[in-house]
Amino acid sequence: MARMAVSVLAILLASCALAAASFDKEFDVTWGDGRGKILNNGQLLTLGLDKISGSGFQSKHEYLYGKIDMQLKLVSGNSAGTVTAYYLSSQGPTHDEIDFEFLGNVTGEPYTLHTNVFTQGQGQREQQFRLWFDPTNDFHTYSILWNPKHIIFMVDDMPIRDFKNLEGKGIAFPKNQPMRLYSSLWNADDWATQGGRVKTDWSHAPFSASYRSFKADACVVTAAGRPRCGASIGTDAAPGTGGAAAAGDWYNQELDLTRQQRMRWVQSNYMIYNYCTDPKRIAMGVPAECSM
Ligand SMILES: *[C@@H]1O[C@H](CO)[C@@H](O)[C@H](O)[C@H]1NC(C)=O
């Protein structure tokens, strides 16, 4: 009898974990004066941008490691000059940050997916990609896996970048500053599209980007400052209660050989900028991690 109850509970928890977290529970729209909206019972969030303002939101929780998935549908049509930033960041002058940024383009020309990693306030680790689909037609999943050994960027589960923990070689790795998840839609036409040559066409405003299916398997930092780990934080499943041991597979995950090959395939076919191979950067001395 008791055993049956336990398995029923397990099934309930498993099915709850599949439901996406509600945006009302997990996020605050922090700026944009009504241009950011939570809709459909908390299942959809939209950000807006017009000539007066963009908009943005941030997570209520702070995370210290996690596998964070979100589906985004980007500004369609003539999105030149607009930037949709989607990133994890801690606070302060020596902050850590893990960035996805989507740079819009004129109709028919491709978006640029920009990625970067900041450790201890030090960034300049840009890698940029083309996407193998039109990110404005439909929702696609963008994921950040951040664990003690890796920061892996994924697009529809395809790894595109793996920033490894090389602390042993003297390179800082984000590991003790909790980060919040942020996103914003804003005007960056001074630099974003074709180097700032193409300006935002306000006759197409308001611009809009949409978010759904947020899922975080993460360690959440509690008020007491201790991370509380568990699968599917933010879903209706029971919150994680344990330390790192309770975190789940993502905590120790790395790319197996097949996934490393996939990543290399993406990088050789879709990478359009890599700070490690930028002649200007090389002239200044290649960052240490580039030669490892
Ligand atoms: C926009 O399209 C042009 C032409 O295809 C391309 O060179 C550029 O990288 C694209 N993206 C941005 C953000 O400018």
Side-chain angles (χ1 to χ4, degrees), residues 147-166:
N147 68 27
K149 296 216 179 98
H150 297 265
I151 292 168
I152 299 173
F153 295 76
M154 283 165 283
V155 175
D156 288 337
D157 213 34
M158 183 79 107
I160 64 166
R161 178 170 187 178
D162 182 3
F163 182 80
K164 298 192 181 74
N165 184 337
L166 296 168

Side-chain angles (χ1 to χ4, degrees), residues 24-151:
D24 315 82
K25 270 198 219 154
E26 297 301 313
F27 296 97
D28 293 309
V29 174
T30 43
W31 63 285
D33 210 6
R35 290 173 183 79
K37 297 189 188 82
I38 296 176
L39 305 163
N40 297 1
N41 231 343
Q43 295 306 298
L44 180 71
L45 189 153
T46 61
L47 290 182
L49 163 70
D50 58 31
K51 203 164 183 177
I52 295 163
S53 177
S55 52
F57 66 88
Q58 71 181 48
S59 62
K60 293 185 197 278
H61 287 125
E62 288 186 297
Y63 308 101
L64 190 63
Y65 300 132
K67 161 110 173 9
I68 296 179
D69 304 329
M70 181 86 90
Q71 293 194 352
L72 276 74
K73 189 174 165 195
L74 301 171
V75 173
S76 62
N78 185 351
S79 59
T82 73
V83 170
T84 305
Y86 174 72
Y87 58 104
L88 285 166
S89 182
S90 66
Q91 303 278 315
T94 59
H95 79 295
D96 298 326
E97 189 176 315
I98 304 169
D99 286 330
F100 274 117
E101 267 186 320
F102 302 90
L103 316 185
N105 217 332
V106 291
T107 309
E109 295 300 331
Y111 262 74
T112 295
L113 170 55
H114 176 96
T115 64
N116 203 356
V117 176
F118 283 72
T119 58
Q120 303 286 311
Q122 170 67 45
Q124 298 194 305
R125 298 196 177 92
E126 302 88 353
Q127 288 186 350
Q128 296 184 336
F129 302 83
R130 289 273 177 259
L131 293 163
W132 47 94
F133 51 83
D134 178 350
T136 72
N137 257 348
D138 213 338
F139 285 91
H140 290 269
T141 306
Y142 302 90
S143 309
I144 295 168
L145 171 66
W146 171 35
N147 68 27
K149 296 216 179 98
H150 297 265
I151 292 168

Side-chain angles (χ1 to χ4, degrees), residues 209-273:
S210 308
Y211 303 75
R212 70 176 193 197
S213 306
F214 167 72
K215 179 167 176 274
D217 290 346
C219 299
V220 166
V221 177
T222 60
R226 235 178 308 120
R228 197 189 62 194
C229 304
S232 300
I233 280 153
T235 67
D236 294 331
T241 49
D249 289 348
W250 62 267
Y251 197 84
N252 298 305
Q253 201 178 319
E254 6 188 39
L255 297 177
D256 62 19
L257 272 180
T258 311
R259 305 196 76 218
Q260 285 177 37
Q261 275 163 5
R262 282 190 196 149
M263 183 174 74
R264 264 182 237 119
W265 178 83
V266 172
Q267 292 181 346
S268 53
N269 288 284
Y270 293 94
M271 189 188 266
I272 54 169
Y273 177 82

Side-chain angles (χ1 to χ4, degrees), residues 200-211:
T200 304
D201 180 352
W202 295 110
S203 71
H204 291 85
F207 302 99
S208 167
S210 308
Y211 303 75

Side-chain angles (χ1 to χ4, degrees), residues 186-200:
W186 47 291
N187 177 40
D189 66 2
D190 51 336
W191 60 269
T193 303
Q194 301 180 31
R197 285 191 303 278
V198 184
K199 301 298 174 192
T200 304

